[in-house]
Amino acid sequence: MTKRRKAFALLAAFGAGNLLAYTPVQSNTGLLVYASNCASCHLGDLTGRNEAPPLAGSNFMHAWGDRSTSELLNYIQSSMPPGAAGSLPADVCTSLVAFILEANGAPADRQELSPGAKIRIGSVASGKMPIELRESLDKASSDQSGLSQSFAHAKGLTVKGQVHGYVPVTDEMLLHPDPGDWLMIRRNYEAWSYSPLDSITAANVRKLRLEWVWAMNDGGASEPTPIVHDGIIYLSNTSNTVQALDGRTGDLIWENRIGPDSTRGYGATRSLALYQDKVFVPTTDARLYALNARTGEIVWQVELAGGKSGYSATAGPMVIHGKVLSGLTGCGQYREEPGCHISAWDTGSGKPAWKFQTIARSGHPGGDTWGDLPDLLRAGGDTWITGSYDPELNQTYWGVAQAKPWLRVSRGAKPGDKGLFTSSTLALNPDTGKLDWYFQHVPGESLDMDEVFERVLVNRGDQKLLFTIGKAGILWKLDRLNGRFLAFKETVFQNLFTQIDARTGEPTYRSDILEQRIGQKLYACPSTEGGHNWQPMSYHPGTGQLIIPLSQSCMNMSGRTVEFKAGSGGGAGERQFMEMPGTDGHIGKLAAYDISTMEQNWSIEQRAPFLTGVLSTAGGVAFVGDLDRYFKAVDVKTGKLLWQTRLGTSVQGHPISFAINGKQYIAVTTGLGGGSPRDVPHVIAPDIHHPLNGNALYVFALDEESAK
């Protein structure tokens, strides 16, 4: 055959969709790469969840059909996997592209796919996964789930030991915790993230010294809260591993590797709960375990979501009146059955007590707020941050995340559709799960601006107040007797809302956000990094102020077309991140706000975002950590820097304080992984470097002379 005839034959084959330069070997290699690096976020069937978009099917083709294989390769190389972007070699990423092509119906060929190939994906792929591949993935997913569980149970107690002299945790202890203990996430039911210990002060904090450090599991997302009772630290690691440590020395007492293995960049387990003689552990595969607090042995376990794939439990549980309450996440897919909920379980037996669905279904209260969307297309409403509790009112308060897909144009919603109970504060009876009241912060939320975060409870005179802040960076003040709106404060620059009603608190979106179209870029500040995210604020009662970790970045966001069928859904948004105007590149902000006036008392701005919650103490010190490895202490009255030290990698998690035999300690974790709070700085602040390993627990105390 002449060269010209060969060229015409190749062109004809390309036009017929047969010239696809990837081999079965490349695709098989890509499958292995996908399983180890991608499946934990994008799921085994490539349907995606949360911020991880689908990689197969019509939704993938809507996003990538008109783009080339080289664009997909460059995107994967530059941004994946989360927390370790650029770590996969070009040939490995090319094999991954080959697998994605096969998963979308593109046939294999004898010619290898090269990194420089610019094949339009829509010319060779249909979005229809071959039946044989789907069956193989379904079987692998099922086997993997079973293998993960059996392997986890086979590992079980990898270190056996016993906590001697353990004193069961009572309801009274949870209501009025010992000053030296840290029994729950954010320490008390009111979610203050405040320690009454005062040995470490603004005058002597500069003399803090490292007592000991404990290396934790690497891999996955690490954002834990150490839980402390009688000097014993209970610590959640990635891969659903729980450890008991001696708080004085860091010696390991027992360890239970429950499993399954950690996800690559998401799925942090943020806390544990203690009650009576049990430690309660939510896991990344949406199970709830009760462990023996003395030995770490499993007492009981339950499925929070009926074994359905894609769900996870990351909030951390809380115990009220002998019931352990848990949230749920991974609720972005369209499902026939009800999705996200808050649930309660008997602490002794694990028997279900109640369940509150956060997505209002047709024929139920709030169901008409979804307009004419059928129940199948009502998704979102994740509860991925632990609630708080008022024992006097007997109400527990939880935040609910946004509706999904993120943009209303993608989910087929109309401007007037509020979509209860998304983007809301819920007040529930902890004994029955009955809804006492709700306040929807952003009706019909449309840009992935969660309002799911901590609810801080403060009494001011006769007023019983609730404070919360979401990704839009708006600090909300509510009357927790009835959910009545009282006041708001914009803590960072926002251009989402043209006004917020001074009487009702209801915000009004810009007109272009209300009239959004598929593919239209919407400039939005803050970005999905959030003006505020999962890192909790602290209430300092001595100064009457909230000390809040904030972030400053913006984005362009556009919505994709979503197929309205079971298994579809997800975020369905394209994002481009950039610096926030007027910040001089300072992403991180730490600021204090007076709870009476809502005015800002002081602020600190810096290049690196703050990646821990804030811990404030009776000694007049607030502690916080950042992406650039600094752990800092500032004066609660002025924000003045009092002390700082640099740790092994990015400082991330929930710092705490505890005491043993009258000696005060400060503990904080370094951690990796997570969603937008990690991904956005990677894009707009590539100058900040840190090791890609190093999850650890650091414990500090004053030197002996200073402690006297």
Side-chain angles (χ1 to χ4, degrees):
M1 185 180 292
T2 66
K3 289 184 178 180
R4 177 173 291 187
R5 289 181 65 189
K6 282 185 178 179
F8 278 123
L10 290 173
L11 287 171
F14 182 78
N18 294 322
L19 181 66
L20 182 58
Y22 84 87
T23 65
V25 172
Q26 281 184 303
S27 180
N28 289 338
T29 302
L31 171 57
L32 297 176
V33 174
Y34 182 84
S36 60
N37 292 276
C38 315
S40 58
C41 295
H42 296 271
L43 300 183
D45 59 1
L46 288 80
T47 52
R49 65 174 173 180
N50 298 336
E51 293 186 320
L55 298 178
S58 60
N59 293 336
F60 171 79
M61 294 302 295
H62 287 312
W64 285 94
D66 288 330
R67 305 187 198 181
S68 69
T69 53
S70 63
E71 288 180 272
L72 181 57
L73 174 64
N74 291 336
Y75 178 78
I76 292 172
Q77 265 199 294
S78 64
S79 60
M80 294 291 126
S87 62
L88 298 178
D91 60 332
V92 171
C93 292
T94 304
S95 297
L96 185 55
V97 171
F99 168 65
I100 293 172
L101 290 173
E102 182 188 15
N104 284 279
D109 194 67
R110 290 176 294 179
Q111 182 180 342
E112 284 194 350
L113 177 66
S114 69
K118 296 182 179 180
I119 302 170
R120 189 175 70 85
I121 293 172
S123 70
V124 293
S126 63
K128 296 181 180 179
M129 187 179 294
I131 295 176
E132 299 83 359
L133 179 60
R134 181 172 296 281
E135 290 175 347
S136 296
L137 291 175
D138 288 344
K139 184 177 186 302
S141 178
S142 176
D143 290 348
Q144 184 63 38
S145 175
L147 284 171
S148 295
Q149 288 305 311
S150 61
F151 184 50
H153 291 302
K155 287 188 291 187
L157 282 171
T158 49
V159 176
K160 295 184 179 181
Q162 182 155 342
V163 175
H164 296 290
Y166 178 85
V167 177
V169 174
T170 64
D171 292 287
E172 178 61 23
M173 289 179 182
L174 294 178
L175 285 169
H176 304 103
D178 184 283
D181 278 355
W182 197 282
L183 296 179
M184 66 181 76
I185 190 170
R186 305 185 299 257
R187 191 179 180 275
N188 62 359
Y189 277 136
E190 293 81 7
W192 285 6
S193 296
Y194 166 81
S195 171
L197 299 175
D198 59 4
S199 296
I200 298 170
T201 68
N204 65 22
V205 68
R206 68 184 183 280
K207 297 182 179 180
L208 273 186
R209 300 291 184 269
L210 180 65
E211 288 281 303
W212 54 264
V213 61
W214 173 257
M216 297 168 60
N217 290 359
D218 274 324
S222 184
E223 304 165 3
T225 305
I227 299 298
V228 186
H229 178 43
D230 280 349
I232 303 301
I233 299 175
Y234 296 91
L235 183 64
S236 61
N237 281 241
T238 58
S239 296
N240 304 289
T241 297
V242 182
Q243 298 164 332
L245 304 167
D246 187 316
R248 294 167 299 177
T249 64
D251 291 338
L252 179 64
I253 299 171
W254 57 254
E255 175 185 83
N256 194 326
R257 291 181 175 264
I258 299 169
D261 286 342
S262 62
T263 62
R264 181 49 108 138
Y266 298 93
T269 51
R270 296 183 177 87
S271 188
L272 310 169
L274 280 178
Y275 185 66
Q276 297 295 348
D277 58 353
K278 298 180 182 67
V279 182
F280 298 96
V281 186
T283 59
T284 55
D285 60 345
R287 295 170 186 262
L288 179 65
Y289 288 81
L291 307 183
N292 185 310
R294 295 181 176 89
T295 65
E297 296 171 303
I298 295 175
V299 179
W300 55 256
Q301 62 169 297
V302 295
E303 294 180 343
L304 293 171
K308 301 294 183 181
S309 64
Y311 288 116
S312 182
T314 65
M318 66 185 306
V319 175
I320 305 173
H321 300 164
K323 296 180 178 64
V324 55
L325 278 59
S326 179
L328 196 66
T329 190
C331 308
Q333 284 190 338
Y334 294 146
R335 304 173 189 269
E336 295 289 352
E337 73 279 0
C340 251
H341 56 260
I342 303 162
S343 57
W345 309 78
D346 183 87
T347 56
S349 63
K351 292 181 179 179
W354 55 259
K355 183 184 294 185
F356 181 87
Q357 301 290 345
T358 56
I359 297 294
R361 312 283 283 184
S362 300
H364 292 267
D368 58 346
T369 63
W370 288 83
D372 56 6
L373 283 180
D375 287 343
L376 173 64
L377 303 184
R378 303 180 182 193
D382 308 62
T383 48
W384 54 281
I385 297 294
T386 315
S388 49
Y389 173 59
D390 182 335
E392 183 179 333
L393 296 178
N394 197 31
Q395 287 179 336
T396 181
Y397 308 92
W398 291 69
V400 183
Q402 76 288 70
K404 292 184 179 68
W406 292 329
L407 282 81
R408 66 180 71 186
V409 67
S410 295
R411 62 180 182 261
K414 296 180 177 60
D417 296 345
K418 294 184 176 182
L420 289 174
F421 292 94
T422 62
S423 298
S424 298
T425 294
L426 305 180
L428 304 174
N429 182 302
D431 301 315
T432 65
K434 176 182 175 293
L435 178 68
D436 289 332
W437 58 258
Y438 72 88
F439 177 83
Q440 191 171 36
H441 300 271
V442 186
E445 195 285 314
S446 198
L447 289 167
D448 185 25
M449 293 287 117
D450 285 29
E451 295 286 344
V452 73
F453 309 111
E454 68 276 12
R455 270 59 187 166
V456 176
L457 314 182
V458 179
N459 293 338
R460 201 66 165 173
D462 293 334
Q463 282 190 309
K464 296 178 77 67
L465 305 173
L466 179 151
F467 295 90
T468 188
I469 179 172
K471 283 188 182 180
I474 296 171
L475 177 63
W476 303 93
K477 183 178 184 179
L478 305 179
D479 184 332
R480 69 177 187 271
L481 284 170
N482 49 29
R484 182 170 62 91
F485 168 78
L486 297 176
F488 75 94
K489 175 68 175 180
E490 296 183 20
T491 62
V492 298
F493 170 68
Q494 70 85 17
N495 65 1
L496 312 174
F497 310 118
T498 57
Q499 67 171 14
I500 297 176
D501 190 289
R503 183 180 61 85
T504 66
E506 182 165 341
T508 300
Y509 273 120
R510 294 185 340 233
S511 59
D512 60 329
I513 296 176
L514 290 173
E515 298 161 6
Q516 61 192 234
R517 301 182 304 277
I518 292 292
Q520 175 191 7
K521 289 185 178 181
L522 299 168
Y523 177 59
C525 298
S527 77
T528 53
E529 179 186 22
H532 182 67
N533 210 292
W534 64 263
Q535 308 96 306
M537 58 182 154
S538 176
Y539 172 62
H540 188 265
T543 56
Q545 61 186 1
L546 298 164
I547 306 172
I548 310 176
L550 302 162
S551 293
Q552 302 178 124
S553 62
C554 299
M555 67 179 177
N556 286 321
M557 177 180 268
S558 59
R560 298 194 299 260
T561 300
V562 173
E563 191 172 14
F564 294 150
K565 69 174 187 179
S568 184
E574 301 278 359
R575 293 168 295 172
Q576 298 172 312
F577 301 113
M578 59 210 68
E579 293 181 357
M580 181 175 283
T583 62
D584 196 27
H586 291 146
I587 304 169
K589 179 179 178 181
L590 183 71
Y593 296 87
D594 185 285
I595 64 166
S596 296
T597 66
M598 300 288 277
E599 292 304 309
Q600 179 179 292
N601 290 337
W602 55 259
S603 73
I604 300 168
E605 295 191 27
Q606 62 177 45
R607 178 69 166 156
F610 295 102
L611 291 181
T612 72
V614 178
L615 162 68
S616 68
T617 72
V621 183
F623 294 88
V624 67
D626 67 30
L627 178 66
D628 205 21
R629 303 190 288 122
Y630 283 103
F631 184 46
K632 305 184 178 191
V634 303
D635 190 307
V636 297
K637 296 179 180 178
T638 64
K640 178 184 176 182
L641 179 66
L642 302 172
W643 169 87
Q644 67 179 6
T645 188
R646 216 164 192 195
L647 304 183
T649 191
S650 47
V651 191
Q652 180 168 281
H654 299 72
I656 68 163
S657 187
F658 63 94
I660 302 174
N661 296 328
K663 182 177 181 177
Q664 183 180 358
Y665 297 85
I666 303 294
V668 69
T669 54
T670 50
L672 299 159
S676 290
R678 302 292 308 218
D679 297 340
V680 177
H682 176 77
V683 174
I684 66 175
D687 50 295
I688 301 176
H689 302 286
H690 56 80
L692 298 180
N693 65 336
N695 295 344
L697 173 65
Y698 293 78
V699 176
F700 299 88
L702 295 173
D703 58 56
E704 293 300 326
E705 188 64 29
S706 302
K708 292 179 181 178

